[in-house]
Amino acid sequence: MKIIISPAKKMNVDRDTYPVNRLPLYLAQAEKIKEYMQSLSYKEAKALWGCNDKIAGLNFERFREMDLRKGQTPAILAYEGIQYQYMAPSVFTDSALKYVEEHLRILSGFYGVLRPLDGVVPYRLEMQAKAKVGGRKDLYEFWGDALYQAAREGDGKIVNLASKEYARCVEGYLQPGDVFLTCIFGQWKDGKVIQKGTQAKMARGEMVRFMAEGEVRDFEQIKSFGRLGYGFCEGLSSDREYVFVQ
């Protein structure tokens, strides 16, 4: 069983908490993307990122000086988004860290797929960016089924805790025999369950921690998740979608 999550825009450098175990699986492809980004003018890069001058300047400089083999941070510590804050990987026990190394995969527009202790450097590049690397129309076309192949490793059971723009990189290539389980975290409003972005990110992080601490290895165990006031809703759930209501 594999768990897939999204990356975060904001990144951190931490070379002390955990050691880097290895280089990312798709480093050669990341090098190609790096070369493409370095070929862009500042104006082109800023338009691709869709951000302000402060963020664009920082990341333009990052790509200009980037060396993917030096100064790396373990992937699970490199991202600073809400999901990662609630996951709190810096205080994982040894057994929880071992669990996520085996089961957790971070999807990335730049690196493709990352294992928790793969070494990464700070970058900015979302999967939906119209980066025409190698003549491809965007990063979805560039990566093709590579993210699926890495997430599919094992028994074909995938727990989806990623956002829609990243989940489609895997879901679009599913084969007969694969089981793709999406977890929905919502609140009741006007008689129906609504999933809100920030709360969902918080819950996804807590779910990863819950699974790591409990060393969850089958879908049935996921139903007992009850953190942040959520509870499993049998009536709204199916074999392919588990709904948790706050």
Side-chain angles (χ1 to χ4, degrees):
M1 181 175 70
K2 292 291 182 287
I3 307 161
I4 59 171
I5 63 174
S6 305
K9 292 179 183 178
K10 189 176 180 181
M11 297 192 71
N12 175 51
V13 174
D14 182 343
R15 298 168 191 155
D16 300 319
T17 305
Y18 301 134
V20 168
N21 269 9
R22 64 183 79 79
L23 294 170
L25 182 64
Y26 295 128
L27 191 66
Q29 289 89 332
E31 288 281 6
K32 291 181 180 179
I33 297 174
K34 182 190 79 170
E35 291 171 5
Y36 169 82
M37 294 301 297
Q38 290 175 334
S39 75
L40 300 180
S41 67
Y42 172 78
K43 184 177 180 180
E44 290 170 332
K46 183 185 175 186
L48 187 70
W49 291 320
C51 60
N52 60 38
D53 281 316
K54 182 179 179 180
I55 294 173
L58 170 65
N59 288 282
F60 189 76
E61 190 67 18
R62 279 175 170 173
F63 272 108
R64 193 176 71 84
E65 299 182 350
M66 185 175 286
D67 186 335
L68 299 183
R69 299 174 185 272
K70 292 182 180 179
Q72 301 164 321
T73 294
I76 200 167
L77 299 176
Y79 298 103
E80 286 192 357
I82 294 171
Q83 180 172 2
Y84 293 84
Q85 293 171 20
Y86 278 77
M87 192 193 313
S90 63
V91 292
F92 273 165
T93 61
D94 289 345
S95 60
L97 185 61
K98 183 179 179 181
Y99 175 91
V100 294
E101 261 287 90
E102 180 182 353
H103 296 280
L104 184 67
R105 297 295 179 263
I106 302 167
L107 308 184
S108 164
F110 184 57
Y111 282 105
V113 175
L114 293 163
R115 296 155 295 194
L117 297 181
D118 286 357
V120 303
V121 299
Y123 68 92
R124 185 183 180 92
L125 190 64
E126 297 179 64
M127 184 62 77
Q128 61 266 44
K130 301 296 183 182
K132 296 176 173 58
V133 184
R136 306 301 175 88
K137 68 178 182 179
D138 55 23
L139 291 174
Y140 289 111
E141 187 174 294
F142 174 82
W143 284 111
D145 70 347
L147 280 70
Y148 161 74
Q149 294 296 340
R152 168 62 177 78
E153 177 190 12
D155 59 8
K157 293 182 179 179
I158 300 169
V159 179
N160 174 32
L161 296 176
S163 60
K164 289 182 179 179
E165 59 264 37
Y166 285 92
R168 64 180 277 196
C169 301
V170 174
E171 192 171 15
Y173 297 94
L174 295 173
Q175 300 296 312
D178 294 337
V179 185
F180 190 78
L181 175 67
T182 297
C183 292
I184 303 295
F185 303 95
Q187 295 82 31
W188 284 107
K189 184 177 181 180
D190 299 328
K192 55 185 178 181
V193 175
I194 303 297
Q195 182 170 245
K196 298 180 180 179
T198 299
Q199 287 86 346
K201 290 174 183 177
M202 292 162 58
R204 289 167 184 157
E206 285 282 2
M207 177 63 86
V208 173
R209 171 165 279 279
F210 165 78
M211 294 180 71
E213 290 176 344
E215 297 186 35
V216 171
R217 298 186 184 277
D218 64 67
F219 289 170
E220 193 65 26
Q221 291 174 275
I222 296 173
K223 294 179 180 180
S224 62
F225 175 77
R227 301 184 181 187
L228 300 179
Y230 286 95
F232 177 70
C233 186
E234 187 82 46
L236 296 176
S237 300
S238 67
D239 291 342
R240 297 296 179 268
E241 189 172 271
Y242 281 5
V243 178
F244 297 86
V245 180
Q246 201 173 40

